[in-house]
Structure formats: structure tokens, C-alpha cells
Amino acid sequence: VESCPGTLLHAIPTGDYEPGTEVVVSFPGVHTFAWNLLHRSKLVKGISATCTFISDETHPAYGKHDKYEGGCHCDHIYGERDDFGCSWYTIWMEKTRQAAQNSCKLIVVTTRDGSVPGKGQNAELRFLKREGLRYSLMNIEDFASKLIEVLLGHEE
């Protein structure tokens, strides 16, 4: 699975996290196709996500900044205030905590080589570690295989 150009789908998690469900809590945005497939939730049964991406400028959270330690989350995510905003991070933290409290299996999807690109994904990993939340790593190839199995109904 190569990274591919394209537009990431806008994604706000629903919060439907049944105990034992596999929940993707972090995802490398460079893998646009797999991201978009993941967020077509009607197609992918048994896999949820807390991943949040607010790309729609008409969404009320777009460009919003949530207060954090005398500034906003942009400071520790991007190193400076970002026009995109950081309210996505507050939504993501809330949903990720909810999934963890519901005993879901948290998954961090990485690139093929196991790296975690991007400032947002690195901020998510720091949060998971700081909160002591258990998660497993899955590279994009294994994740794509899992999606295919789920879509074809061959998951065990």
C-alpha cells in the first residue's frame, strides 16, 4: 500500500465503541485511500475509529482553538498556532478515552516501515503514552489486509 495523493475525507468519530471492538486511534494521513475506506463506516463493520479530521471549513470546529496550558493544543502539536485549528484534538482525546473506558482494542496504524509520520499522529502517541492507554501497532499493509478481510466477510 503506497501513500497516494487525494483528499482526505472529513471525519468526526461517532462514539459507538462496543466493548472488545477494534478501534483505530491514530492513522497516518499519507495513506489517503485506506483512511477514506476506514471512514466509510457503513462499509467497514467491526472496526471503529476515534481519528478526527476536520477538513470542511463550514464545520463549527474548523479553525477553532481549545485552551491548553496558557495557549492551545497547537503549541504542543505543531509548535505554533495553526489556521486549521486544534479542536479536533480535544474531540479525539474525548473519543479515545471513551473507547479505552469501554475496553476496546486500541490500534495505532503506522506506515509500512512502522514509522509514525506527522505532527498530529506524534501528538496522539504522546497522549496515549501519557495516559497509560494500551494500544497495539499495525502497519498500513497489515491494516489494509484486515480491511479487505472485513469487507469480504472473511475475518475470523
Side-chain angles (χ1 to χ4, degrees):
V1 175
E2 297 295 329
S3 60
C4 59
T7 303
L8 294 175
L9 284 177
H10 172 82
I12 300 290
T14 61
D16 300 327
Y17 308 116
E18 296 294 322
T21 300
E22 291 183 301
V23 178
V24 176
V25 296
S26 189
F27 194 92
V30 297
H31 293 291
T32 308
F33 181 79
W35 166 275
N36 290 343
L37 188 58
L38 170 65
H39 286 286
R40 295 181 196 279
S41 60
K42 292 179 182 165
L43 294 176
V44 183
K45 303 291 184 200
I47 301 176
S48 293
T50 64
C51 301
T52 306
F53 182 66
I54 302 172
S55 59
D56 183 355
E57 292 181 10
T58 64
H59 190 278
Y62 183 85
K64 300 289 187 219
H65 298 270
D66 291 336
K67 292 182 189 218
Y68 178 75
E69 295 184 359
C72 71
H73 288 294
C74 287
D75 299 330
H76 70 89
I77 297 172
Y78 311 114
E80 62 186 1
R81 195 170 181 90
D82 189 272
D83 291 340
F84 186 71
C86 58
S87 64
W88 70 267
Y89 188 75
T90 302
I91 295 166
W92 174 84
M93 286 189 305
E94 176 186 317
K95 298 301 183 180
T96 298
R97 283 183 180 125
Q98 182 183 356
Q101 289 168 353
N102 287 353
S103 300
C104 294
K105 298 173 186 172
L106 309 183
I107 299 170
V108 171
V109 179
T110 67
T111 59
R112 176 183 287 157
D113 67 3
S115 65
V116 179
K119 294 177 180 179
Q121 194 174 21
N122 277 286
E124 292 165 348
L125 275 174
R126 286 191 303 273
F127 170 84
L128 294 170
K129 290 174 183 174
R130 186 175 62 244
E131 294 281 311
L133 300 178
R134 299 181 82 184
Y135 61 91
S136 60
L137 296 173
M138 181 181 291
N139 73 41
I140 189 65
E141 288 181 342
D142 292 341
F143 180 73
S145 294
K146 182 167 196 56
L147 276 180
I148 290 166
E149 287 176 8
V150 170
L151 288 170
L152 295 176
H154 297 288
E155 187 179 44
E156 297 174 8

